[in-house]
């Protein structure tokens, strides 16, 4: 048997503190009596998530279906720059952007709504 | 200062009047909602788990903290114990796994060879002090091994050099445990070559 074996086989014992078991049991009881973790509000989240996804899909679908590169008039760069044009709303990308903003707004409202105490909801 | 009274083997620590002599019975009571039955498990295993933690971190306060966390993991995971395996094997596996994670989060204070060299005996100290220093240097050197070698070494000696039980706790084939132990010993011999060459332990042994 080498020195290493002999020394490692003869590691000294340490005694746990007198209140160690009590401390552990205190924590165990605390854990056992703690209220269960708050469940994720799937009931509220799912309809909103499905609505958002549907809106987004419809918007993307519309954008793809209406996309026609030949229909976009080639204009000089200077004419494309004006920030907002009513004609812009007819572009598929604009529809998609509006749908996206709408989805984000609904999601934000949902989070605000979910943060309210349940008694204020019902 | 820690109370070092004798050597520890994993099963040496005798529980203090546990309510349930059988871990399986206590575990089933806990699973049935009797939280107090867990106290029997804590009382029975506090010594071994604190000492196993101490072998990882070499710090008493930290060892108790790690053991307490391990007990919480055991309490929460009690339902996962498959009762066809020994309770002690499962308990040590959960604890060793937790200690390994805890050590990963810690600053690797033991990896410093200078610290180990400082523990190598000086010329003007007594042989008894030298022996203690050498033993401490070897234990620190074990703690400074790469985790996969350290874990096997710590558990193997803690389990009274029981290769089969060590391999069960670590969920490793016995051959892998043996190979890692061999490699760990070689690494320790290399690290501690100068220390072991001048060892009073060796001199006393010759």
């Amino acid at each position: 048997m080498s020195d290493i074996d002999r020394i490692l086989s003869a590691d000294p014992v340490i005694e746990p503190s007198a209140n160690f078991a009590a401390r552990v049991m205190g924590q165990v009881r605390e854990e056992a009596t703690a209220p269960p973790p708050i469940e994720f509000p799937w009931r509220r989240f799912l309809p909103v998530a499905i609505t958002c996804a549907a809106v987004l899909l419809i918007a993307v679908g519309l954008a793809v279906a209406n996309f026609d590169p030949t229909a976009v008039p080639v204009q000089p760069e200077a004419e494309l720059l004006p920030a907002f044009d009513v004609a812009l709303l007819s572009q598929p990308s604009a529809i998609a952007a509006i749908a996206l903003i709408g989805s984000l707004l609904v999601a934000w409202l949902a989070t605000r709504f979910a943060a309210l105490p349940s008694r204020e909801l019902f | 200062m820690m109370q070092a009274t004798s050597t520890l083997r994993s099963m040496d620590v005798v529980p203090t009047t546990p309510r349930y002599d059988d871990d399986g019975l206590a575990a089933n009571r806990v699973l049935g909602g009797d939280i107090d039955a867990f106290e029997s498990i804590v009382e029975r295993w506090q010594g071994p788990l604190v000492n196993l933690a101490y072998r990882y971190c070499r710090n008493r306060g930290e060892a108790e903290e790690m053991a307490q966390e391990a007990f919480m993991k055991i309490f929460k995971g009690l339902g996962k114990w498959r009762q066809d395996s020994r309770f002690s094997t499962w308990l040590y596996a959960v604890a060793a796994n937790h200690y390994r994670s805890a050590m990963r989060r810690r600053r690797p204070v033991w990896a410093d060879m200078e610290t180990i060299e400082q523990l190598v005996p000086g010329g003007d100290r007594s042989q008894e002090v030298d022996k203690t220093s050498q033993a401490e240097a070897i234990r620190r050197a074990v703690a400074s091994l790469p985790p996969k070698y350290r874990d096997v070494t710590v558990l193997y000696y803690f389990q009274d050099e029981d290769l089969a039980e060590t391999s069960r706790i670590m969920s490793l084939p016995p051959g892998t445990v043996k190979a890692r132990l061999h490699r760990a010993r070689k690494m320790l011999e290399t690290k501690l070559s100068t220390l072991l060459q001048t060892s009073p332990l060796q001199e006393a042994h010759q």
Side-chain angles (χ1 to χ4, degrees), chain A residues 6-71:
Chain A
R6 197 166 29 253
I7 287 167
L8 293 179
S9 301
D11 219 347
V13 176
I14 62 166
E15 295 294 330
S17 310
N19 64 344
F20 177 78
R23 270 202 331 256
V24 173
M25 283 311 293
Q27 202 183 345
V28 163
R29 286 190 188 100
E30 201 175 295
E31 176 76 25
T33 54
I38 299 165
E39 279 182 37
F40 190 81
W42 288 109
R43 231 167 35 144
R44 287 180 194 164
F45 173 79
L46 274 179
V48 175
I50 291 167
T51 310
C52 288
V55 168
L56 202 60
L57 277 175
I58 291 166
V60 171
L62 281 173
V64 171
N66 293 329
F67 182 68
D68 180 5
T70 57

Side-chain angles (χ1 to χ4, degrees), chain A residues 19-36, chain B residues 19-20 30 33-43 68 71-72 75-76:
Chain A
N19 64 344
F20 177 78
R23 270 202 331 256
V24 173
M25 283 311 293
Q27 202 183 345
V28 163
R29 286 190 188 100
E30 201 175 295
E31 176 76 25
T33 54
Chain B
R19 278 170 57 205
Y20 300 101
V30 176
D34 180 6
I35 305 300
D36 291 341
F38 193 69
E39 197 163 2
S40 303
I41 295 172
V42 176
E43 283 173 357
Q68 186 167 343
F71 272 119
M72 289 310 294
F75 174 71
K76 288 180 193 169

Side-chain angles (χ1 to χ4, degrees), chain A residues 5 25 33 35 37-38 49 55 65 70-71 74 79 92 95 99-100 110 117 120:
Chain A
D5 282 324
M25 283 311 293
T33 54
I38 299 165
V55 168
T70 57
V74 180
E79 290 177 30
I95 296 168
L100 188 62
E120 288 182 28

Side-chain angles (χ1 to χ4, degrees), chain B residues 14-179:
Chain B
V14 179
T16 51
T17 60
R19 278 170 57 205
Y20 300 101
D21 291 335
D22 179 53
D23 289 317
L25 183 62
N28 285 329
R29 297 278 308 176
V30 176
L31 290 171
D34 180 6
I35 305 300
D36 291 341
F38 193 69
E39 197 163 2
S40 303
I41 295 172
V42 176
E43 283 173 357
R44 191 171 1 257
W45 294 103
Q46 59 177 334
L49 287 205
V50 169
N51 277 279
L52 181 58
Y54 182 75
R55 292 195 181 195
Y56 276 85
C57 66
R58 314 300 310 177
N59 176 295
R60 187 194 173 94
E62 211 166 332
E64 288 204 356
E65 201 176 302
M66 283 162 65
Q68 186 167 343
E69 289 163 0
F71 272 119
M72 289 310 294
K73 284 198 183 293
I74 289 158
F75 174 71
K76 288 180 193 169
L78 213 49
K80 292 179 194 157
W81 170 46
R82 287 176 302 140
Q83 306 209 358
D84 53 347
S85 67
R86 278 170 56 187
F87 183 78
S88 61
T89 306
W90 176 78
L91 177 127
Y92 280 129
V94 173
N97 199 35
H98 174 68
Y99 297 161
R100 210 174 302 139
S101 308
M103 293 303 290
R104 263 201 301 271
R105 291 194 297 269
R106 278 185 44 164
R107 189 167 51 94
V109 288
W110 306 104
D112 183 4
M113 270 310 288
E114 280 178 19
T115 315
I116 292 168
E117 280 161 10
Q118 282 166 10
L119 290 162
V120 174
D124 56 348
R125 286 189 286 179
S126 72
Q127 204 173 58
E128 196 54 43
V129 172
D130 288 346
K131 279 183 195 173
T132 311
S133 300
Q134 283 171 348
E136 191 54 27
I138 288 172
R139 288 176 193 129
R140 286 189 182 214
V142 169
S144 77
L145 288 172
K148 68 177 183 179
Y149 299 111
R150 177 203 60 203
D151 296 346
V152 163
T153 309
V154 166
L155 274 170
Y156 175 72
Y157 288 104
F158 188 75
Q159 288 297 334
D160 202 10
E161 299 173 41
D162 183 341
L163 193 74
E165 182 64 358
T166 306
S167 72
R168 276 194 293 271
I169 291 170
M170 296 208 69
S171 302
L172 287 172
T176 307
V177 172
K178 212 169 177 178

